[in-house]
Short mmCIF file of all heavy atoms in Angstrom, two decimals:
data_model
loop_
_atom_site.label_atom_id
_atom_site.label_comp_id
_atom_site.label_asym_id
_atom_site.label_seq_id
_atom_site.Cartn_x
_atom_site.Cartn_y
_atom_site.Cartn_z
N ARG A 26 -10.11 118.37 -49.22
CA ARG A 26 -9.23 118.65 -50.36
C ARG A 26 -8.26 117.48 -50.51
O ARG A 26 -7.74 116.96 -49.52
CB ARG A 26 -8.47 119.95 -50.13
CG ARG A 26 -9.33 121.20 -50.19
CD ARG A 26 -8.53 122.46 -49.94
NE ARG A 26 -8.05 122.52 -48.56
CZ ARG A 26 -8.76 123.00 -47.53
NH1 ARG A 26 -9.99 123.47 -47.76
NH2 ARG A 26 -8.24 123.03 -46.33
N TYR A 31 -7.38 119.29 -55.66
CA TYR A 31 -8.80 119.08 -55.97
C TYR A 31 -9.63 119.20 -54.70
O TYR A 31 -9.34 118.56 -53.68
CB TYR A 31 -9.01 117.70 -56.58
CG TYR A 31 -10.47 117.34 -56.77
CD1 TYR A 31 -11.25 118.02 -57.69
CD2 TYR A 31 -11.06 116.34 -55.99
CE1 TYR A 31 -12.58 117.70 -57.85
CE2 TYR A 31 -12.40 116.02 -56.14
CZ TYR A 31 -13.15 116.70 -57.07
OH TYR A 31 -14.48 116.39 -57.22
N ALA A 33 -13.12 118.43 -53.03
CA ALA A 33 -14.34 117.63 -53.18
C ALA A 33 -15.51 118.22 -52.41
O ALA A 33 -16.66 118.13 -52.86
CB ALA A 33 -14.09 116.19 -52.71
N VAL A 37 -19.33 122.62 -46.07
CA VAL A 37 -20.63 121.96 -45.99
C VAL A 37 -21.08 121.86 -44.54
O VAL A 37 -20.35 121.34 -43.68
CB VAL A 37 -20.57 120.56 -46.62
CG1 VAL A 37 -21.88 119.80 -46.38
CG2 VAL A 37 -20.27 120.67 -48.11
N LEU A 46 -34.95 110.15 -42.78
CA LEU A 46 -34.57 109.59 -44.07
C LEU A 46 -34.09 110.75 -44.93
O LEU A 46 -34.86 111.68 -45.21
CB LEU A 46 -35.75 108.89 -44.75
CG LEU A 46 -35.56 108.53 -46.23
CD1 LEU A 46 -34.44 107.51 -46.40
CD2 LEU A 46 -36.86 108.00 -46.83
N VAL A 48 -32.09 111.82 -48.49
CA VAL A 48 -31.60 111.44 -49.81
C VAL A 48 -30.58 112.48 -50.26
O VAL A 48 -30.89 113.67 -50.35
CB VAL A 48 -32.75 111.32 -50.83
CG1 VAL A 48 -32.20 111.05 -52.22
CG2 VAL A 48 -33.70 110.21 -50.42
N SER A 53 -22.66 113.90 -61.02
CA SER A 53 -21.47 113.07 -60.86
C SER A 53 -20.28 113.97 -60.53
O SER A 53 -20.04 114.98 -61.20
CB SER A 53 -21.20 112.30 -62.16
OG SER A 53 -20.02 111.53 -62.05
N GLU A 68 -12.70 108.40 -44.94
CA GLU A 68 -11.94 109.61 -45.25
C GLU A 68 -12.04 110.54 -44.04
O GLU A 68 -12.94 110.39 -43.20
CB GLU A 68 -12.53 110.33 -46.47
CG GLU A 68 -12.54 109.53 -47.75
CD GLU A 68 -11.27 109.71 -48.56
OE1 GLU A 68 -10.30 110.31 -48.00
OE2 GLU A 68 -11.23 109.25 -49.70
N VAL A 75 -16.98 116.65 -38.18
CA VAL A 75 -18.08 115.71 -38.37
C VAL A 75 -18.36 115.08 -37.02
O VAL A 75 -17.46 114.49 -36.40
CB VAL A 75 -17.73 114.62 -39.40
CG1 VAL A 75 -18.90 113.65 -39.55
CG2 VAL A 75 -17.39 115.24 -40.75
N SER A 83 -13.77 113.50 -36.52
CA SER A 83 -12.82 114.04 -37.49
C SER A 83 -11.39 113.64 -37.18
O SER A 83 -10.58 113.45 -38.09
CB SER A 83 -12.93 115.57 -37.53
OG SER A 83 -14.26 115.99 -37.72
N LEU A 93 -16.80 102.80 -33.60
CA LEU A 93 -17.75 103.71 -34.24
C LEU A 93 -18.57 102.97 -35.28
O LEU A 93 -19.80 103.12 -35.34
CB LEU A 93 -16.99 104.87 -34.89
CG LEU A 93 -17.80 105.74 -35.87
CD1 LEU A 93 -18.79 106.59 -35.10
CD2 LEU A 93 -16.86 106.61 -36.72
N GLN A 102 -20.78 101.63 -53.15
CA GLN A 102 -21.15 101.49 -54.57
C GLN A 102 -20.85 100.09 -55.08
O GLN A 102 -21.63 99.51 -55.82
CB GLN A 102 -20.41 102.54 -55.40
CG GLN A 102 -20.98 103.94 -55.26
CD GLN A 102 -20.46 104.88 -56.33
OE1 GLN A 102 -20.25 104.48 -57.47
NE2 GLN A 102 -20.28 106.13 -55.99
N VAL A 116 -22.59 87.57 -44.94
CA VAL A 116 -23.39 88.36 -44.00
C VAL A 116 -22.86 88.22 -42.57
O VAL A 116 -22.92 89.15 -41.77
CB VAL A 116 -24.87 87.96 -44.09
CG1 VAL A 116 -25.72 88.75 -43.10
CG2 VAL A 116 -25.39 88.17 -45.52
N ALA A 135 -29.63 84.84 -40.20
CA ALA A 135 -30.88 84.32 -40.76
C ALA A 135 -31.95 85.40 -40.80
O ALA A 135 -32.69 85.54 -41.79
CB ALA A 135 -31.35 83.12 -39.94
N ASP A 139 -33.65 87.05 -44.19
CA ASP A 139 -35.11 87.06 -44.32
C ASP A 139 -35.61 88.49 -44.56
O ASP A 139 -36.51 88.72 -45.38
CB ASP A 139 -35.74 86.48 -43.06
CG ASP A 139 -37.26 86.48 -43.13
OD1 ASP A 139 -37.82 85.82 -44.03
OD2 ASP A 139 -37.89 87.16 -42.29
N ILE A 164 -26.73 94.54 -48.38
CA ILE A 164 -27.59 95.24 -47.43
C ILE A 164 -27.79 94.40 -46.17
O ILE A 164 -27.75 94.92 -45.04
CB ILE A 164 -28.94 95.58 -48.08
CG1 ILE A 164 -28.74 96.61 -49.21
CG2 ILE A 164 -29.92 96.13 -47.05
CD1 ILE A 164 -29.96 96.82 -50.08
N PRO A 172 -27.66 98.29 -36.89
CA PRO A 172 -27.12 99.65 -36.69
C PRO A 172 -28.23 100.67 -36.49
O PRO A 172 -29.36 100.49 -36.94
CB PRO A 172 -26.37 99.91 -38.00
CG PRO A 172 -27.15 99.12 -39.02
CD PRO A 172 -27.56 97.87 -38.30
N LEU A 175 -27.89 103.88 -41.13
CA LEU A 175 -27.63 103.13 -42.36
C LEU A 175 -27.24 104.11 -43.46
O LEU A 175 -27.98 105.04 -43.75
CB LEU A 175 -28.86 102.33 -42.76
CG LEU A 175 -28.76 101.44 -44.01
CD1 LEU A 175 -27.63 100.43 -43.87
CD2 LEU A 175 -30.09 100.73 -44.26
N ILE A 176 -26.06 103.89 -44.04
CA ILE A 176 -25.52 104.78 -45.07
C ILE A 176 -25.35 103.98 -46.35
O ILE A 176 -24.74 102.90 -46.33
CB ILE A 176 -24.15 105.34 -44.63
CG1 ILE A 176 -24.30 106.14 -43.33
CG2 ILE A 176 -23.55 106.22 -45.72
CD1 ILE A 176 -22.99 106.38 -42.62
N ILE A 192 -35.14 97.78 -53.93
CA ILE A 192 -34.10 98.17 -52.98
C ILE A 192 -34.50 99.45 -52.25
O ILE A 192 -34.30 99.58 -51.04
CB ILE A 192 -32.75 98.35 -53.71
CG1 ILE A 192 -32.26 97.02 -54.30
CG2 ILE A 192 -31.72 98.95 -52.76
CD1 ILE A 192 -32.02 95.93 -53.29
N GLU A 194 -37.49 100.38 -51.57
CA GLU A 194 -38.51 99.99 -50.59
C GLU A 194 -37.88 99.39 -49.33
O GLU A 194 -38.36 99.61 -48.21
CB GLU A 194 -39.49 98.99 -51.21
CG GLU A 194 -40.48 99.61 -52.18
CD GLU A 194 -41.40 100.61 -51.49
OE1 GLU A 194 -41.79 100.37 -50.32
OE2 GLU A 194 -41.72 101.64 -52.11
N PHE A 199 -36.57 100.11 -43.49
CA PHE A 199 -35.64 100.27 -42.37
C PHE A 199 -35.89 101.59 -41.65
O PHE A 199 -35.87 101.66 -40.42
CB PHE A 199 -34.19 100.24 -42.88
CG PHE A 199 -33.78 98.93 -43.50
CD1 PHE A 199 -32.99 98.91 -44.63
CD2 PHE A 199 -34.20 97.73 -42.96
CE1 PHE A 199 -32.61 97.71 -45.22
CE2 PHE A 199 -33.83 96.52 -43.55
CZ PHE A 199 -33.04 96.51 -44.67
N ASN A 200 -36.12 102.64 -42.42
CA ASN A 200 -36.40 103.94 -41.82
C ASN A 200 -37.69 103.91 -41.01
O ASN A 200 -37.76 104.48 -39.90
CB ASN A 200 -36.47 105.01 -42.91
CG ASN A 200 -36.77 106.38 -42.36
OD1 ASN A 200 -37.83 106.95 -42.61
ND2 ASN A 200 -35.86 106.93 -41.58
N LEU A 207 -29.31 107.50 -44.58
CA LEU A 207 -28.74 108.49 -45.48
C LEU A 207 -28.31 107.76 -46.74
O LEU A 207 -27.43 106.90 -46.70
CB LEU A 207 -27.54 109.18 -44.83
CG LEU A 207 -26.73 110.16 -45.70
CD1 LEU A 207 -27.61 111.27 -46.25
CD2 LEU A 207 -25.56 110.73 -44.91
N VAL A 208 -28.95 108.06 -47.86
CA VAL A 208 -28.69 107.32 -49.09
C VAL A 208 -28.46 108.30 -50.24
O VAL A 208 -29.22 109.26 -50.41
CB VAL A 208 -29.87 106.36 -49.41
CG1 VAL A 208 -31.19 107.08 -49.47
CG2 VAL A 208 -29.61 105.57 -50.69
N LEU A 215 -36.49 108.14 -57.41
CA LEU A 215 -36.51 106.84 -56.77
C LEU A 215 -37.26 106.84 -55.44
O LEU A 215 -38.03 105.93 -55.15
CB LEU A 215 -35.07 106.35 -56.54
CG LEU A 215 -34.91 104.88 -56.18
CD1 LEU A 215 -35.50 103.98 -57.26
CD2 LEU A 215 -33.43 104.55 -55.97
N ARG A 220 -41.51 111.36 -50.18
CA ARG A 220 -41.25 112.77 -49.90
C ARG A 220 -40.18 112.93 -48.81
O ARG A 220 -40.42 113.56 -47.78
CB ARG A 220 -42.54 113.48 -49.50
CG ARG A 220 -43.63 113.38 -50.55
CD ARG A 220 -44.97 113.89 -50.04
NE ARG A 220 -44.96 115.33 -49.90
CZ ARG A 220 -45.26 116.19 -50.88
NH1 ARG A 220 -45.54 115.73 -52.08
NH2 ARG A 220 -45.24 117.49 -50.67
#
Side-chain angles (χ1 to χ4, degrees):
R26 291 179 292 275
Y31 173 67
V37 173
L46 168 63
V48 174
S53 178
E68 300 270 10
V75 179
S83 308
L93 167 72
Q102 285 194 35
V116 179
D139 180 62
I164 294 169
L175 182 57
I176 300 164
I192 296 299
E194 285 297 323
F199 297 140
N200 179 247
L207 174 57
V208 55
L215 194 58
R220 303 171 71 87

